[in-house]
Amino acid sequence: MKIQSIILAAGQGTRMKSDLPKILHPVCGVPMIDYAIEAVKSFCDDKPVVVVGHHAEEVQKYLGNKVTPVVQQQQLGTGHAVLQAEGLLLGSSGLVLVTYGDMPLLTSETLARLVETQKANSGPMTMLTVMHNNPRGFGRVIRNNQGTVDRIVEEAQATPDELAITELNVGAYCFQNAWLWDNLKKIKVSPKGEYYLTDIVELAVTNGQAVAAVVLDNFNETIGINNRLHLSEAESLMRKRINEKWMLSGVTMIDPASTYIDANVTISRDTTLAPNTSLQGNTSIGERCHIGPGSVIKDTKIGNDCVVLYAVTESAVVEDHVEIGPFARLRKGAYLSSGVHMGNFGEVKDSVLGPGVKMGHFSYIGNAQIGTDTNIGAGTITCNYDGKNKHKTVIGENVFIGSDTMLVAPLNIGDGAKTGAGSVVTKDVDENTLVVGVPAKPIKKIK
Ligand code: UD1
Ligand code: MG
């Protein structure tokens, strides 16, 4: 049976008090709308239709071709919002799943239950409800004497008796396609001037058609985000969910409460994450690594058997058996080959450190290429910037750069060369040559 989906995301999100559209606010590093898209993706046949409105351009730009967007010019309510998708979905057979873009914790398993229930339902729709004592502004579910759903009443219109009802409308529905479009148009405007999607329930029931309900027992899944308090609740629940997933797949966390992992990060088994560690963006970590404490790893690919201690890295690649830190920084374009040892207070940017390179203490390496097994002495600096342009430093294999050497780029240092402590190297150095002094001069061939 064909299943299509609509995600409502046109609302203003006024209570976020933000210049950023609500559905683009990140939860564990990913805009909340992405979770809604991900949740429907596995069982919907086509791309989801996303109804955008407020900040439509910015939202559409972010969504790109992941979805089919449709614009709701004026936000006249959730019923009106769904109607905007009619032109795209009318005429198909099958089912239409409708969810809201601000409920990132709702899982695809729950939505699948909704779809399965509707497949077995003789009536035109199934809705998702949850039992909870704190209604958080949700619509209340009114059931009849037989215990089946009669209607939904919005909080603003509810009587005191209705307000006391603890079964709440989550805001996810599965409809028969043709029936949805016929009945959406029959929804009357509410006292608030909006067309409530929720009024469609009563339309079905008065017509003698059964509305089925899936009752969810996990309230945490249903948290809708309307303000920054809700955002922080969603963030910590999502973090817990992500951490549990990685621990159950073989990652040790010494203190899960202070371990922050973005939704798109991947980690392999037998890696240990120490406290106060944040893995962000598109980071991947290999097997048997020890990361942290105190590390912020962003968009970085780390291989197997690496140790990273008190480090900040961004857009870097680290191969296997590499040691970084304590107190190390990798910036964009840093590439550390297998067996590199990068000790304390080092910074690497736009540079390739070949296999086995050692830079133990206090160095800055920028726009450089360093050959296999070269040793970078304490306090070495690549002087890569002349005030206008960046220049490259190329250092060969098995080179020994003495402590406190200034390498004034552009510069080539041949294989097997050596610099004396405190040298300021301004001219290329031939292979197997020792240079010393300021400016550095060759004094002998080493081999
Ligand atoms: C809605 C439900 C309520 C439910 C609650 C769960 C209705 C009438 N009420 O109320 O029963 O308990 O969600 O969170 O549906 N939107 C549009 N266009 C509009 C209006 C809203 O796209 O014109 C989108 C919003 O961006 C949001 C979603 O629809 O993603 C829900 O709208 P919101 O205003 O948050 O509805 P609630 O008052 O929370
Ligand atoms: Mg809401």
Side-chain angles (χ1 to χ4, degrees), residues 406 408 422-427 435-443:
M406 302 292 123
V408 183
S423 320
V424 177
V425 186
T426 56
K427 294 202 174 88
V435 298
V436 297
V438 182
K441 294 195 177 79
I443 54 166

Side-chain angles (χ1 to χ4, degrees), residues 15 22 100 102 224-226:
R15 284 167 286 174
K22 174 167 88 173
Y100 298 163
D102 60 358
I225 297 172
N226 292 319

